[in-house]
């Protein structure tokens, strides 16, 4: 999919309101995938397909187009055109030709992350993603968690960073099938299939015991996490996706007994690293 998309300069996006039973069954030329944000779906295409969408909708029930727009592919993708550095991490777009990705960084000056975003958020340029990488850089200077869970993995960049720093078992969740496909591709690019398992599903409702929880989602998801999960059960949690100005209110939701060991504000976005059980 990545090579195919890179031949184009624009993406055409149709906002569809309603529940799509099987987005993989959409047989329209240029269709790339669906980004679900209930109650809406955002269908990505390589070219305008107004008439095709209208015909497809006529065979569906309870769906309607509520918006359509086009954007430059590079603006959506946030591609890292050159090495982007966050702490010990150096982010590169995919794997350079003739250079195989591996997990041995002992002969280099940093930890290389080979990330191709495709249609998925998480190239490392957004303040919440770079904040989480900076938190991982801090935490792994203190200790190396043996197991980790990454909720809302996106491109898989945080799971890959943890694996390259020494974590042996990581489960990465995302409810978005596009993200799952992209994360699995990036795990392969970095030769980390033995360490990282990418699963499609709601990570909050499927959390397993682990030493580290990585959570880079929105405020609504954070509130759901606090409601469903006792963060004291994790030795460490890295949390981002909230605005600094909202944290005083949101921090009251955190359970007693945890310690904020590290925090960073980047362009108004807050990332924290908290310690749960000793």
């Amino acid at each position: 999919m990545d090579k195919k998309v890179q031949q184009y300069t624009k993406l055409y996006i149709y906002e569809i309101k309603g529940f799509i039973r099987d987005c993989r069954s959409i047989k329209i030329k240029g269709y790339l995938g669906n980004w679900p944000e209930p109650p809406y779906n955002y269908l990505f295409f390589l070219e305008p397909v107004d008439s095709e969408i209208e015909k497809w909708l006529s065979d569906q029930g309870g769906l309607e187009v509520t918006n359509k727009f086009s954007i430059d592919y590079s603006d959506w993708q946030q591609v890292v055109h050159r090495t982007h550095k966050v702490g010990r991490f150096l982010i590169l777009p995919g794997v350079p030709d003739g250079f195989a990705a591996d997990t041995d960084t002992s002969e280099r000056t940093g930890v290389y992350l080979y990330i191709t975003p495709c249609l998925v958020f998480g190239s490392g340029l957004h303040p919440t993603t770079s904040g989480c990488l900076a938190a991982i850089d801090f935490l792994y200077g203190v200790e190396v968690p043996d197991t980790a869970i990454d909720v809302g993995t996106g491109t898989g960049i945080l799971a890959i960073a943890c694996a390259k720093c020494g974590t042996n078992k990581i489960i990465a969740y995302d409810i978005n099938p596009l993200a799952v496909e992209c994360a699995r591709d990036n795990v392969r690019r970095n030769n980390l299939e033995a360490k990282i398992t990418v699963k499609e599903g709601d990570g909050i409702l499927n959390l397993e015991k682990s030493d580290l929880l990585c959570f880079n989602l929105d405020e609504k998801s954070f509130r759901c996490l606090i409601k469903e999960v006792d963060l004291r059960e994790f030795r460490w949690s890295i949390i981002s996706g909230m605005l600094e100005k909202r944290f005083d209110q949101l921090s009251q939701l955190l359970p007693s007994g945890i310690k904020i060991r590290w925090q960073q504000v980047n362009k108004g976005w807050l990332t924290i690293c908290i310690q749960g059980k000793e």
Side-chain angles (χ1 to χ4, degrees), residues 19 33-34 52 75 95-96 100 107 113 152 181 256 268:
F19 176 67
N34 175 33
E52 291 87 346
D75 288 344
V95 180
E107 299 300 319
L113 310 178
E181 178 185 348
S256 61

Side-chain angles (χ1 to χ4, degrees), residues 70-198:
S70 66
I71 59 174
D72 289 339
Y73 174 61
S74 59
D75 288 344
W76 171 264
Q77 190 187 37
Q78 298 187 82
V79 173
V80 184
H81 292 290
R82 61 176 183 269
T83 302
H84 179 63
K85 191 174 189 301
V86 180
R88 74 183 73 184
F89 302 109
L90 295 97
I91 308 164
L92 294 173
V95 180
D97 292 339
F99 191 87
D102 56 47
T103 57
D104 181 11
T105 60
S106 59
E107 299 300 319
R108 305 180 203 156
T109 57
V111 178
Y112 280 60
L113 310 178
Y114 302 100
I115 305 295
T116 297
C118 301
L119 297 177
V120 177
F121 176 83
S123 65
L125 294 178
H126 191 275
T128 61
T129 310
S130 60
C132 287
L133 289 174
I136 292 170
D137 186 40
F138 158 77
L139 173 58
Y140 283 72
V142 176
E143 66 176 65
V144 177
D146 188 57
T147 59
I149 299 268
D150 181 19
V151 177
T153 194
T155 60
I157 188 171
L158 302 185
I160 291 168
C162 291
K164 289 209 170 185
C165 286
T167 297
N168 291 310
K169 180 182 178 183
I170 302 166
I171 300 177
Y173 283 101
D174 209 293
I175 62 172
N176 188 337
L178 280 178
V180 171
E181 178 185 348
C182 182
R184 285 173 177 163
D185 182 56
N186 283 323
V187 168
R188 287 191 294 269
R189 290 173 186 274
N190 290 272
N191 289 339
L192 291 171
E193 297 98 320
K195 287 190 172 187
I196 302 173
T197 300
V198 182

Side-chain angles (χ1 to χ4, degrees), residues 54 135 201:
E54 184 177 348

